[in-house]
């Protein structure tokens, strides 16, 4: 079954420093991976996706993610964090192609706190 | 509007009552999804509609839950005889025709509280 793991409940970083939010995945077949961000009392906003191609994917708001097949990881990164990046971040993978490709399977989320 | 619209934004009801939650997807999006977000269970898939195909109901937690999508646009999620464990945020999403690589765009959700 498809699954993603976000090993950190919370990540703390100072404004201006680089940030990394970790995600590892387990899939059958090729992974279709996504990152979403959720601000308080809001829905999820799409940040970026990896389907195929370059391992470094660039997305919204200066975020990027690196797909690493050998480590089955898809970590979210940003070179310089902003206080406004403080939010809840979710990694997600498409369900298995034969039974649930339309579904997104989400990780448990990582809260990012950027201090001034 | 440009995004997925959900109503109501908040709903408080008594245990045993029925509730209806509404989702208006982005215009032109043929795929529509319902998810549930709760503290204990995280984000869970509930149901998926694609065009005129039969919906994928595999994520519905019990037969008290049902959903329909009329005219290929607006969807309603109905919970009958609500229980306290139904308290959660119900999120709707839509996407272009499901090619696997299409991102899902989410509404702001309906926060459901069962007293």
């Amino acid at each position: 079954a498809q699954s993603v793991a976000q090993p950190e409940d919370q990540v703390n970083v100072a404004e201006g420093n680089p940030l990394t939010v970790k995600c590892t995945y387990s899939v059958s077949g090729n992974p279709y991976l996504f990152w979403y961000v959720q601000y308080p009392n809001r829905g999820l906003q799409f940040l970026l996706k990896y389907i195929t191609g370059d391992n470094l994917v660039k997305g919204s708001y200066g975020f990027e993610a690196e797909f690493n097949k050998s480590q089955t990881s898809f970590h979210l990164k940003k070179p310089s964090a902003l206080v406004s990046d403080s939010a809840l971040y979710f990694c997600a993978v498409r369900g298995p192609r034969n039974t649930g490709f339309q579904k997104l399977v989400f990780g448990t989320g990582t809260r990012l706190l950027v201090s001034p | 509007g440009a995004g997925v619209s959900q109503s109501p934004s908040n709903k408080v009801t008594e245990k045993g009552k029925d509730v209806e939650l509404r989702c208006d997807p982005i215009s032109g999006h043929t795929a529509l999804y319902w998810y549930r977000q709760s503290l204990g269970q995280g984000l869970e898939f509930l149901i998926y509609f694609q065009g005129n195909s039969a919906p994928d109901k595999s994520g519905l937690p019990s037969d008290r839950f049902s959903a329909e999508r009329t005219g290929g646009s607006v969807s309603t999620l109905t919970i009958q005889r609500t229980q306290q464990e139904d308290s959660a945020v119900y999120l709707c999403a839509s996407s272009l025709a499901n090619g696997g690589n299409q991102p899902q765009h989410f509404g702001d959700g309906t926060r459901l509280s069962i007293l």
Side-chain angles (χ1 to χ4, degrees), chain B residues 66-105:
Chain B
S66 63
E68 62 179 21
R69 188 179 185 191
T70 54
S73 181
V74 172
S75 176
T76 302
L77 177 68
T78 301
I79 309 173
Q80 295 178 311
R81 305 180 303 281
T82 52
Q83 303 294 314
Q84 288 187 332
E85 61 263 28
D86 300 335
S87 296
V89 177
Y90 289 82
L91 294 167
C92 177
S94 70
S95 71
L96 292 170
N98 179 41
N101 60 348
Q102 298 295 336
Q104 296 177 19
H105 298 270

